[in-house]
Amino acid sequence: MTPTGSYAGAMGAPQFMPSSFRAYAVDASDDGRRDIWSNWADVIGSVANYFVAHGWRSGADVAASAEVSDRWDGPEPDNRLEARDTVAALQDRGVRFATKLAARGTRRAPQARRRRRPRVLGGLP
């Protein structure tokens, strides 16, 4: 298979940009290649490596319930989100989330390390 990407440069199943491929892609299948196009072990391992590098914690919540409060200032929600719809922006507009996660984090993500095998797979949904 010839590695190809989208018109914007995103590559493979995880849609990594080239810099993310260089930083996070791993050879989880141990076949000597980092193949995020057709080798699902490498795809899952690379996404796991990305998550770990950005603070993933095994067993942590990946979703939170939310409800619209009386302060909601938008149209009736249709369960779709836009890139601008961050947790903080939605809270500012009147959405209440059932989570202990901070809306505005101050912790900086740790630097990524290239690993031969991912450290965490058990935390993936």
Side-chain angles (χ1 to χ4, degrees):
M1 171 177 256
T2 302
T4 57
S6 70
Y7 73 93
M11 304 181 333
Q15 291 293 281
F16 280 169
M17 295 303 286
S19 59
S20 293
F21 176 84
R22 289 189 301 272
Y24 308 113
V26 296
D27 177 21
S29 65
D30 211 17
D31 66 356
R33 299 179 339 141
R34 297 181 293 165
D35 179 3
I36 61 170
W37 292 267
S38 60
N39 184 319
W40 286 101
D42 289 358
V43 169
I44 298 300
S46 298
V47 171
N49 191 38
Y50 176 90
F51 284 167
V52 168
H54 289 87
W56 175 266
R57 292 182 319 263
S58 181
D61 291 340
V62 295
S65 297
E67 64 183 22
V68 177
S69 74
D70 294 338
R71 289 190 320 111
W72 177 252
D73 66 355
E76 182 70 24
D78 59 6
N79 292 328
R80 290 187 306 204
L81 294 174
E82 302 292 331
R84 69 180 178 277
D85 294 331
T86 63
V87 170
L90 291 168
Q91 283 179 330
D92 289 346
R93 292 178 60 200
V95 174
R96 291 186 297 225
F97 291 92
T99 182
K100 296 175 186 164
L101 298 176
R104 291 170 175 76
T106 57
R107 188 175 72 86
R108 191 178 169 119
Q111 291 295 320
R113 292 184 205 101
R114 186 173 291 164
R115 289 182 197 68
R116 184 162 172 83
R117 295 219 182 249
R119 283 193 330 196
V120 175
L121 284 177
L124 294 174

